Amino acid sequence: MKGDKHEEQELGSEPTAPQQPTEEEEALIEFHRSYRELFEFFCNHTTIHGAIRLVCSQHNRMKTAFWAVLWLCTFGMMYWQFGLLFGEYFSYPVSLNINLNSDKLVFPAVTICTLNPYRYAKIKEELEELDRITEQTLYDLYKYNFSNTLVAHPRGRRDLGETLPHPLQRLPGPAPPHEARRARMASSVRDNNPQVNRKDWKIGFQLCNQNKSDCFYQTYSSGVDAVREWYRFHYINILSRLPVDASVSLEKDQLDNFIFACRFNQVSCNQANYSHFHHPMYGNCYTFNDKNNSNLWMSSMPGINNGLSLTLRTEQNDFIPLLSTVTGARVMVHGQDEPAFMDDGGFNLRPGVETSISMRKETLDRLGGTYGDCTKNGSDIPVQNLYGSKYTQQVCIYSCFQENMIKECGCAYLFYPPLPGVDFCDYRKHNSWDEQAEDVTSQDVLSYCYYKLQDAFASNRLGCFTKCRKPCSVTSYQLSAGYSRWPSVTSQDWVFQMLSLQNNYTINNKRNGVAKLNIFFEELNYKTNSESPSVTMVTLLSNLGSQWSLWFGSSVLSVVEMAELIFDLLVITFLMLLRRIRSRYWSPGRGRRGAREVASTPASSLPAHFCPNPASPSSSPPGPAASPALTAPPPAYATLGPCPSLASSAGASSSACTPGEP
């Protein structure tokens, strides 16, 4: 039998069928031939819950539809939750963490001002002229005789107009609406109060530009405010003529006349513990424990006996009554490397009162970058720091205003540091202020420029509040004050006697000339507020996994399965498009010539997957009648189905297998 078998193979009467590929002979990359096959394989093998129900219930269309809708709904809900989670993550929310710490604390800097500037000898005559103009204005408007000089030497406003051209004047105010007037009259009748017949008017002055094409009135509802503001503006211009070192030499001599006693932590202060500067409105200012101090004060114990204690002189000698209408002192607590903005953070001390201020330290650390709009050191702020100190938002805002003042008006404002080489505004020095029409003076132009710029600054048209971002690290001190009468009735006699002998204090001034200040830490515990990301990458992945497990009950590998499914879908779609393009643009072009080539090709030379239909023994042999069947182009080889079992004779291969035949 072995010989017969060997003989049959040698004769080659019947070719053997090709061997099926084994697992070792499979291709390295294979894809499914249809979407249906792909989804069936995915649903049978995936670890996602519910997907296998789509295949197991294929003989029950209702269940298949139900599970398909349920699967798609859970899929949509899950990715809707994913969208919310990603939206929350990319909004960069922060959480505020509060920590309480206890340790030795560096005592902050304390700035004390006299609350009233002095009359300096070098500008005393100009200040006296300004006083006379203001006194005459008060007499004209309110018939108030400020001093006997007006009676002895009456001066009209015309005589003073050459020096300061726009004294205050009455301006008609807007008439009240008809309904408001009627309601006011009805209210006065009900209260049995007859309506006072008085005129509605305001106090102000007119300001114009150089060619007087734009004018406006600076008005005030209070005459006191109008007088002080008008006096203050001209006082600043006069003060800018004072040499820088003129006030310094005077202020050092005035320290003993202002501060009677100074003690910190039961130890007396000395000149090395303070520095001096002059404020245009608050006069002499002394800063204790600033950054120039060689040894910063440390507080190791809380309480009033372990802080700063000052005895101040608050009487007004040679002060300017038209510039400041209050008495006492002004104090501010701030950091060592921060300038003292007395207008913003200071508060007044009352004469004859002991003020005890307890402090609590508090720090705030913000997250910068994408988590918050803050700056670490101000290096990324497009505003030059004119103070040369630590960056704060107030430093930036005032530096921005000064830059715009120099740019628009040609000189620096006296309240803020100037740029190098730029002088403070003085209408006697700067010719740019004097280019005006015949009836417009330099003071008018200066006032016009300043008040226009001030209005633009307050309404943020200069952009200072937008440019100056908050610092990422802030240290503040929460203050609470207590007041008591000082000295008491029983002790005032000997206290005033000691002050008069030791500090040349005039005993007749009594209580209105002294004040006492105590500043101390209430406790050494301080609060630290810090921001941290509310949603981190770990939190995001945890939330995504929770949502995935909730809706599909799967794991990270299930995500990879979904990615594989999407990749296979894209590849199958690409292959199907490529096959359609080949069948449309390549196969029809072959025409009859391609059919003849196929007809004339021997069966033995065709590929293995291009197989003839099995012919029955009773079939007629191929003849000329069979040729018309070959006029249509054959299908693409790639679309042919698998080969059936071969016929016993080679002559039976006259026609190709149609696609889809088993």
Side-chain angles (χ1 to χ4, degrees):
M1 294 179 62
K2 292 181 179 180
D4 296 341
K5 185 176 181 180
H6 181 70
E7 185 178 356
E8 289 176 0
Q9 292 178 354
E10 288 180 354
L11 293 176
S13 59
E14 185 177 357
T16 60
Q19 296 181 357
Q20 297 294 330
T22 61
E23 295 182 357
E24 291 78 5
E25 296 175 351
E26 290 181 355
L28 181 62
I29 300 177
E30 292 183 351
F31 297 98
H32 299 280
R33 289 174 295 182
S34 64
Y35 293 123
R36 181 183 182 87
E37 183 180 349
L38 173 62
F39 280 109
E40 287 183 356
F41 176 82
F42 175 77
C43 293
N44 283 323
H45 296 86
T46 185
T47 58
I48 299 176
H49 293 183
I52 195 172
R53 304 295 299 177
L54 299 175
V55 179
C56 294
S57 59
Q58 60 183 349
H59 299 294
N60 191 331
R61 294 183 178 180
M62 182 176 293
K63 286 187 176 182
T64 303
F66 170 76
W67 280 102
V69 172
L70 183 61
W71 197 84
L72 292 175
C73 289
T74 55
F75 190 80
M77 288 294 297
M78 182 189 68
Y79 277 96
W80 175 63
Q81 294 290 333
F82 280 7
L84 295 179
L85 293 176
F86 277 108
E88 182 184 9
Y89 175 76
F90 287 107
S91 65
Y92 302 104
V94 297
S95 298
L96 185 63
N97 305 318
I98 301 177
N99 298 320
L100 291 178
N101 306 285
S102 180
D103 199 357
K104 287 184 178 181
L105 297 179
V106 178
F107 200 81
V110 179
T111 299
I112 309 290
C113 297
T114 59
L115 204 59
N116 285 282
Y118 288 93
R119 295 182 183 272
Y120 300 102
K122 294 188 177 182
I123 57 175
K124 191 172 183 179
E125 293 183 1
E126 298 182 57
L127 291 177
E128 290 177 353
E129 179 70 15
L130 180 60
D131 289 343
R132 285 194 296 267
I133 296 174
T134 309
E135 292 169 5
Q136 181 66 47
T137 303
L138 290 174
Y139 182 80
D140 293 343
L141 294 178
Y142 296 98
K143 304 303 179 183
Y144 174 73
N145 190 358
F146 193 90
S147 63
N148 296 326
T149 57
L150 292 179
V151 180
H153 306 282
R155 304 178 63 180
R157 186 175 298 179
R158 183 179 302 176
D159 299 333
L160 303 175
E162 298 179 359
T163 306
L164 298 175
H166 47 73
L168 297 173
Q169 54 184 315
R170 289 187 182 184
L171 301 173
H178 181 69
E179 297 296 333
R181 187 186 299 111
R182 181 185 304 174
R184 186 175 61 184
M185 293 177 63
S187 175
S188 63
V189 171
R190 285 194 304 267
D191 299 338
N192 295 324
N193 242 346
Q195 180 64 31
V196 178
N197 185 14
R198 67 177 182 85
K199 296 180 180 180
D200 293 326
W201 53 275
K202 294 184 177 181
I203 298 295
F205 46 87
Q206 187 183 25
L207 301 170
C208 297
N209 59 353
Q210 294 178 359
N211 54 12
K212 215 172 185 179
S213 60
D214 183 19
C215 297
F216 67 95
Y217 283 96
Q218 188 74 13
T219 60
Y220 302 87
S221 58
S222 172
V224 176
D225 295 338
V227 170
R228 289 187 66 246
E229 178 63 23
W230 183 79
Y231 190 98
R232 171 181 172 272
F233 184 80
H234 290 285
Y235 169 78
I236 291 175
N237 280 274
I238 295 174
L239 194 64
S240 63
R241 304 166 197 167
L242 191 67
V244 178
D245 56 349
S247 61
V248 176
S249 59
L250 176 64
E251 311 309 336
K252 290 183 178 179
D253 298 335
Q254 299 293 336
L255 176 63
D256 294 336
N257 292 330
F258 175 53
I259 300 178
F260 288 158
C262 172
R263 292 177 64 85
F264 175 77
N265 201 11
Q266 304 299 322
V267 178
S268 298
C269 309
N270 52 43
Q271 292 186 355
N273 300 129
Y274 72 89
S275 60
H276 162 262
F277 69 94
H278 179 265
H279 193 277
M281 295 301 298
Y282 300 112
N284 310 328
C285 296
Y286 306 92
T287 302
F288 293 86
N289 196 38
D290 64 350
K291 62 181 179 180
N292 297 323
N293 193 0
S294 57
N295 295 318
L296 294 179
W297 293 341
M298 299 292 296
S299 292
S300 56
M301 292 289 291
I304 192 172
N305 294 324
N306 299 286
L308 177 64
S309 179
L310 297 172
T311 303
L312 308 175
R313 182 174 188 169
T314 58
E315 61 179 348
Q316 298 181 351
N317 292 329
D318 200 25
F319 288 154
I320 305 176
L322 292 171
L323 186 64
S324 178
T325 57
V326 296
T327 182
R330 193 167 183 87
V331 62
M332 180 180 177
V333 179
H334 55 93
Q336 274 80 16
D337 50 359
E338 299 176 4
F341 296 104
M342 306 304 295
D343 286 326
D344 303 334
F347 55 92
N348 294 341
L349 300 179
R350 181 181 175 183
V353 172
E354 180 179 9
T355 304
S356 298
I357 301 174
S358 60
M359 300 183 298
R360 284 173 176 251
K361 183 180 177 181
E362 186 172 340
T363 62
L364 174 60
D365 295 325
R366 300 185 180 96
L367 288 176
T370 56
Y371 289 96
D373 188 19
C374 69
T375 177
K376 294 186 179 300
N377 53 11
S379 59
D380 54 344
I381 301 297
V383 177
Q384 181 181 355
N385 187 346
L386 301 180
Y387 287 85
S389 61
K390 176 184 176 181
Y391 174 86
T392 63
Q393 196 169 20
Q394 290 171 303
V395 166
C396 177
I397 289 174
Y398 293 138
S399 299
C400 177
F401 178 83
Q402 187 73 297
E403 287 183 356
N404 285 273
M405 184 76 183
I406 296 173
K407 179 181 178 182
E408 299 294 333
C409 304
C411 57
Y413 191 50
L414 185 64
F415 273 59
Y416 314 126
L419 288 172
V422 179
D423 296 331
F424 290 114
C425 292
D426 181 8
Y427 45 75
R428 290 188 176 181
K429 289 198 254 182
H430 301 90
N431 295 328
S432 59
W433 296 97
D434 296 333
E435 298 174 1
Q436 66 276 343
E438 295 180 357
D439 55 346
V440 179
T441 62
S442 58
Q443 295 92 332
D444 288 324
V445 182
L446 185 147
S447 305
Y448 174 86
C449 182
Y450 168 74
Y451 284 107
K452 276 289 185 181
L453 192 67
Q454 185 69 27
D455 180 68
F457 171 75
S459 59
N460 199 26
R461 293 198 299 271
L462 300 180
C464 294
F465 298 98
T466 305
K467 297 176 185 177
C468 298
R469 306 199 304 270
K470 296 175 292 187
C472 293
S473 180
V474 178
T475 300
S476 60
Y477 298 92
Q478 306 299 324
L479 308 179
S480 55
Y483 306 94
S484 61
R485 183 176 180 179
W486 184 86
S488 64
V489 178
T490 57
S491 61
Q492 63 181 355
D493 293 336
W494 74 267
V495 170
F496 290 145
Q497 184 67 26
M498 294 294 293
L499 292 176
S500 63
L501 294 177
Q502 185 174 359
N503 302 100
N504 296 325
Y505 177 70
T506 305
I507 198 170
N508 295 329
N509 292 331
K510 296 285 185 181
R511 187 178 306 281
N512 293 332
V514 292
K516 194 168 184 179
L517 173 65
N518 301 311
I519 301 179
F520 56 92
F521 278 110
E522 182 179 350
E523 56 184 17
L524 296 183
N525 297 330
Y526 62 96
K527 184 167 62 174
T528 302
N529 303 317
S530 60
E531 292 181 349
S532 61
S534 180
V535 181
T536 61
M537 182 59 68
V538 176
T539 308
L540 177 65
L541 293 177
S542 177
N543 293 336
L544 293 177
S546 300
Q547 293 296 326
W548 190 279
S549 300
L550 174 64
W551 297 105
F552 284 100
S554 52
S555 62
V556 176
L557 296 180
S558 303
V559 180
V560 180
E561 293 176 3
M562 289 293 298
E564 183 186 18
L565 173 65
I566 296 173
F567 177 75
D568 290 345
L569 284 173
L570 295 176
V571 171
I572 292 176
T573 303
F574 173 76
L575 293 178
M576 292 182 66
L577 291 175
L578 182 62
R579 184 181 302 173
R580 178 173 296 181
I581 293 173
R582 291 180 60 186
S583 63
R584 176 177 296 180
Y585 294 102
W586 293 355
S587 297
R590 300 171 67 178
R592 293 180 177 273
R593 184 183 62 176
R596 287 194 297 270
E597 290 177 357
V598 174
S600 61
T601 302
S604 60
S605 63
L606 293 176
H609 62 273
F610 184 77
C611 56
N613 288 326
S616 61
S618 60
S619 301
S620 59
S627 60
L630 298 175
T631 57
Y637 295 153
T639 61
L640 297 178
C643 295
S645 60
L646 296 176
S648 60
S649 62
S653 60
S654 61
S655 61
C657 298
T658 59
E661 277 186 86

